Amino acid sequence: MATKQKYETQPLKCWGRAKEIRENFYRDYAQAHEKGGLRWAGGAWTFGAIPCGLGDDVWSITSEPYAASIAANKEFSMRCLEATERAGYARDLCSYMRNYWGSVILNEYLWGGPFPKPDFIWQDHICCSHAKWYQVVCDLEPGIPQFCIDVAVGPYNEITENKVDYIVGQMHDGIAWLEKVTGRAYDDEKLIQAVHNECRSTALWAEVCTLNKAIPAPLEEKTMYSLYVLGTLMKHSKIVADFYEELRDEVRERVANQIAAVPNEQCRLMSDTQPPWGFLSLFRYLEKFGAVSIGSLYTFGLIGVWEVKPDGTWGPRTTPQEQGVDIKTRDQALRILTDWNLSKPEWQHFYSPHLKTDMMVRIAKEWSLDGVMLHYNRGCEGLTVGIAENRLGLIEAGFPVMTFEGNMGDEREFDLHKTMTRVDAFMETLGVKK
Amino acid sequence: MLNQFRDWERNRHEYAKAWKERTGGKVMGYFCTYAPEEILYAAGVLPVRILGSHEPQDVTEPHIFGMFCPFCRDCLAQGLKGRYDYLDGIMISQSCLHIRQAFTSWQKHVPVDFHYYLCMPNRVQSPHALPYLAGELAEFKTAVEKWTGKTISDADLDKAIEVYNENRRLMRAVYELRKDDHPHLTGEEAMEMVIASQMIDKAEHSRQIKKILEQLPSRDGRDPGTRLMILGSEDDDIEFLNMVESCGATFVVDDHCTGSRYFWNEVEPSDNRLEAIAARYVHRVPCPSKDWEDRTRIDHILRLARDWNVAGAVVIQQKFCDPHELDIPAIREALDRNGTKTLFLEFDVTVPIGQFKVRVEAFLEMIGDDDLFD
């Protein structure tokens, strides 16, 4: 470390458990049939609590984190991307999608063996690609039934009964469809439990992120990626909710004892959108300057669910359990699930970059930031939408912004050394020295 | 004979300004053909589609990242350059993320009295899409009434629906004439007619089509050469059509939102006017951003190719247009399976006419039955 150590640092005690949960997730999906269970595929954003009503032996694979894992394996990723291009799909499409399709086309599972074909697809449509991602999967692997829920009902501050009814109506249809394609009876109690788990886990993740307001920050973003990802795998599971509670307690302890993620912390940043997964060493490079990326709207708000607290600051949203809400019916569970998800920060930018700018400015202020690094991510139109307006808004609010162009899942569109040079220049601008 | 449409298409801003001065009405710019124009028309508002100008520009880079389609950037450029300075309002009916950015940046940087984001459903194949959109249209109608100060009555809606339906029927009649062995108009002329209809008072546009429909049958039919179809992303690149049609081919039909997709379906009148309008937009030939879980558009394209006796198809895509990119492999495969060869071209704000001409000529040579060495 070039700059002088100011704080004590320690590895996370719960790190091993996080790794184990992730490994089990991919193994359980692949081995579902051996255990007599079912497997389904869908996005990390999908209403994963709903298929839980089919039983405890139903395992999923969420496509974005799976594709991000592929992206981190450069050799396999390149073969996947090239296989997709050979099949006729454009190179500028979502790189998660292209990595995922490549794995299907090659019939190779990242964790070994052939790609485990799902029994059904349970998706939601958040961007231009999400439903069509699986339309193509059905072309590549014919015969998989798919159901996709449209969630494009506008930002949370404009939600009406009509909009909620649209989503909940599709969910009810979806449950009838799940019963039909699996031949199983649906258990509302399991749904209700999964909704409780999801509210608990996503509020807990927001609480963990809130703790990062502390100086020094107890977590840095590279580590947070490995933790938040569990929510993208199964935010509706008790395993993840329990883990986030354990994590929250440990992070509280770190804050109380000034245990820093970056021991020479002297500059606080946030990023935006998914990072180039094959090049997370960029965050280690920041540390040479004592710069800590405390997170981003992406790491905070894709899984975390938030609310404005009485003191006007951002904190974890109060869960239905904490409010004493007793969920008794399927419809009630689905309405809570809908409302909860629509309030997620990372939904809002789809409708207005200006809402996203407001949230980013809030983070910049409340987390005491010195600057912002925006990843102009060629791999994801969904999270990059409006990013240029975010840049203008942050500058207008007085925060220095550095942009770098790249791709979360296609290494051909990212130049690490050029980006490091930009970091050098940004640090110089901020007056931060190694 | 068809010059009036060309004139409207080329002088769209002058038309709108003159209309405003003549009527004292408000003009609303809209960004996607899912906009329920009938409601605006019923309120006495002139809906005008915002399109680009096909000029290289350098004003949108700070607002929209360059990986988004050139069309959305070109549209925003028009606003930033003040070319639509006569607009009283803007609205978007939710479709792709790309064009949405033109709307949201316009909202902030080119202020107008009224702006509206209509949550058009994407899953139009769901039975819930219709009641949902009807509810959204009710809110939109209320907002327009508040903005214009005019109550929109059932009679106003009936009249607007009929004006729009008549225009759609007339355009279908024009397209029928393109089925002839010797079509009476070119693809370029047809596109000019449709684009003009997106900017002109529909009643006025319909009057002009009626005149044309009387005259067209007596116009000499054209030796079509190779009968082509054009389909894909938003396309108002008239220069490109002109070039292809000067190479021994004629576009006899299309599947574009600046073509048949815009007018193909009518509103089926019913007592619940807003539900009737909603049904039209939910059930219309879909943009690929809304064509899921099934791809219904492919059957429609194959029907057009068959009914208009198409020999080849030019499949175009605005660079970075994800919804179309996601459908193009399946569409090309379906056309190929049905014996219709395709040429795929990627469009930008300006197209390289010279290079495209070489590719088009090679394509025509490949699918034609001419002896090359006669």
Side-chain angles (χ1 to χ4, degrees), chain A residues 385-418:
Chain A
V385 69
I387 197 165
E389 289 292 349
N390 301 141
R391 174 183 165 271
L392 293 176
L394 284 160
I395 291 170
E396 197 182 327
F399 292 96
V401 179
M402 166 197 143
T403 65
F404 65 102
E405 208 166 305
N407 190 314
M408 64 198 180
D410 188 338
E411 67 159 318
R412 295 167 298 185
E413 293 193 321
F414 181 69
D415 184 334
L416 179 62
H417 294 287
K418 193 175 153 193

Side-chain angles (χ1 to χ4, degrees), chain B residues 39-298:
Chain B
I39 293 172
L40 295 167
Y41 198 84
V45 174
L46 177 69
V48 171
R49 185 171 184 189
I50 294 169
L51 292 174
S53 65
H54 297 279
E55 298 161 289
Q57 49 82 20
D58 58 0
V59 294
T60 57
E61 206 57 30
H63 302 283
I64 301 180
F65 177 30
M67 69 170 265
F68 290 94
C69 85
F71 172 63
C72 73
R73 286 180 278 133
D74 199 7
C75 286
L76 176 61
Q78 305 312 303
L80 296 172
K81 288 181 168 185
R83 293 193 177 147
Y84 281 90
D85 57 359
Y86 52 86
L87 293 182
D88 301 289
I90 54 166
M91 67 98 49
I92 190 165
S93 193
Q94 181 167 265
S95 50
C96 69
L97 291 180
H98 297 251
I99 195 66
R100 199 175 296 180
Q101 290 177 108
F103 173 78
T104 51
S105 285
W106 195 305
Q107 236 179 345
K108 178 154 185 177
H109 304 288
V110 194
V112 286
D113 289 346
F114 179 82
H115 47 82
Y116 200 90
Y117 184 103
L118 178 72
C119 278
M120 170 77 206
N122 288 321
R123 191 174 177 221
V124 292
Q125 292 173 24
S126 162
H128 302 283
L130 178 52
Y132 169 58
L133 180 57
E136 295 301 297
L137 292 184
E139 284 196 19
F140 178 58
K141 176 173 168 276
T142 305
V144 171
E145 286 175 331
K146 196 174 161 198
W147 172 50
T148 57
K150 175 183 160 49
T151 303
I152 303 171
S153 66
D154 281 351
D156 294 329
L157 284 171
D158 289 341
K159 190 181 158 208
I161 288 169
E162 182 42 35
V163 167
Y164 271 71
N165 276 351
E166 182 188 35
N167 192 262
R168 290 165 181 146
R169 285 193 291 273
L170 290 167
M171 283 308 305
R172 288 282 290 253
V174 169
Y175 268 48
E176 281 297 310
L177 292 173
R178 301 172 74 190
K179 284 181 176 170
D180 281 5
D181 289 342
H182 292 83
H184 297 272
L185 74 164
T186 63
E188 179 189 1
E189 289 167 333
M191 183 179 273
E192 282 171 344
M193 288 181 80
V194 181
I195 295 173
S197 79
Q198 297 179 341
M199 292 145 179
I200 304 305
D201 182 324
K202 283 284 189 298
E204 198 175 342
H205 191 264
S206 293
R207 282 196 294 277
Q208 189 64 20
I209 306 180
K210 284 179 196 164
K211 281 189 210 162
I212 294 303
L213 283 170
E214 282 172 15
Q215 297 168 10
L216 269 181
S218 59
R219 188 192 204 194
D220 284 342
R222 162 191 171 95
D223 175 0
T226 306
R227 296 176 70 89
L228 293 178
M229 176 179 192
I230 185 163
L231 62 112
S233 306
E234 187 283 338
D235 173 22
D236 57 334
D237 207 315
I238 287 165
E239 196 186 344
F240 172 78
L241 270 72
N242 177 285
M243 178 275 285
V244 176
E245 293 187 316
S246 70
C247 294
T250 302
F251 287 112
V252 293
V253 75
D254 68 79
D255 177 55
H256 275 318
C257 63
T258 47
S260 67
R261 221 185 299 145
Y262 176 63
F263 62 78
W264 211 248
N265 306 70
E266 289 183 33
V267 176
E268 300 288 340
S270 81
D271 288 345
N272 187 333
R273 276 80 174 171
L274 293 182
E275 212 170 272
I277 294 170
R280 190 266 164 189
Y281 288 91
V282 165
H283 299 138
R284 60 164 267 192
V285 180
C287 164
S289 67
K290 299 184 188 299
D291 199 23
W292 49 272
E293 291 103 337
D294 295 330
R295 273 200 202 89
T296 62
R297 200 168 128 251
I298 290 184

Side-chain angles (χ1 to χ4, degrees), chain A residues 98-358:
Chain A
R98 289 183 289 123
N99 275 307
Y100 185 93
W101 291 343
S103 178
V104 172
I105 293 166
L106 296 171
N107 195 24
E108 287 182 43
Y109 193 44
L110 177 62
W111 320 105
F115 185 86
K117 186 175 171 178
D119 298 305
F120 62 88
I121 289 162
W122 179 257
Q123 174 67 311
D124 66 353
H125 189 64
I126 51 163
C127 67
C128 295
S129 304
H130 260 58
K132 300 191 79 75
W133 176 325
Y134 283 101
Q135 208 172 33
V136 173
V137 167
C138 292
D139 291 339
L140 300 171
E141 294 183 299
I144 309 173
Q146 72 154 321
F147 194 92
C148 183
I149 293 176
D150 181 15
V151 291
V153 295
Y156 190 61
N157 61 4
E158 293 174 15
I159 286 305
T160 61
E161 201 60 23
N162 186 49
K163 293 172 194 285
V164 173
D165 285 348
Y166 176 51
I167 296 178
V168 172
Q170 293 176 77
M171 289 172 161
H172 279 292
D173 290 356
I175 290 173
W177 178 88
L178 285 171
E179 289 187 308
K180 194 176 152 198
V181 299
T182 63
R184 291 186 175 198
Y186 194 80
D187 183 342
D188 287 339
E189 281 308 313
K190 290 191 186 301
L191 165 73
I192 290 166
Q193 194 49 55
V195 171
H196 277 308
N197 290 338
E198 179 164 333
C199 295
R200 187 161 78 95
S201 69
T202 52
L204 278 163
W205 176 249
E207 195 178 346
V208 169
C209 297
T210 307
L211 290 166
N212 235 20
K213 289 181 184 178
I215 299 174
L219 296 172
E220 47 74 40
E221 199 168 17
K222 183 175 181 293
T223 302
M224 291 170 85
Y225 290 138
S226 299
L227 302 169
Y228 105 103
V229 75
L230 303 180
T232 70
L233 304 180
M234 41 181 186
K235 54 189 178 293
H236 49 268
S237 83
K238 186 172 182 303
I239 295 168
V240 172
D242 288 348
F243 173 76
Y244 280 160
E245 199 166 303
E246 184 186 339
L247 172 68
R248 189 266 323 265
D249 293 345
E250 188 180 343
V251 176
R252 265 188 192 160
E253 213 177 282
R254 286 170 76 94
V255 172
N257 294 299
Q258 288 224 309
I259 306 294
V262 175
N264 55 338
E265 178 181 317
Q266 60 170 343
C267 168
R268 294 166 67 87
L269 306 171
M270 72 170 162
S271 72
D272 188 45
T273 86
Q274 308 91 321
W277 290 112
F279 302 91
L280 294 182
S281 57
L282 180 64
F283 290 88
R284 292 287 172 254
Y285 186 65
L286 289 175
E287 290 171 14
K288 290 184 191 297
F289 294 90
V292 57
S293 182
I294 54 79
S296 59
L297 189 69
Y298 167 68
T299 36
F300 288 5
L302 172 60
I303 290 304
V305 176
W306 301 72
E307 69 187 4
V308 177
K309 296 294 183 187
D311 67 356
T313 63
W314 241 18
R317 185 170 170 186
T318 310
T319 64
Q321 298 100 306
E322 287 164 342
Q323 288 176 323
V325 174
D326 183 17
I327 306 177
K328 288 179 179 156
T329 67
R330 177 187 296 182
D331 188 68
Q332 189 190 3
L334 297 179
R335 283 180 188 280
I336 287 173
L337 186 64
T338 299
D339 183 85
W340 190 261
N341 274 277
L342 292 178
S343 74
K344 195 161 45 175
E346 199 74 330
W347 290 104
Q348 317 310 321
H349 72 284
F350 288 117
Y351 310 101
S352 167
H354 315 307
L355 290 174
K356 180 175 167 186
T357 300
D358 292 345

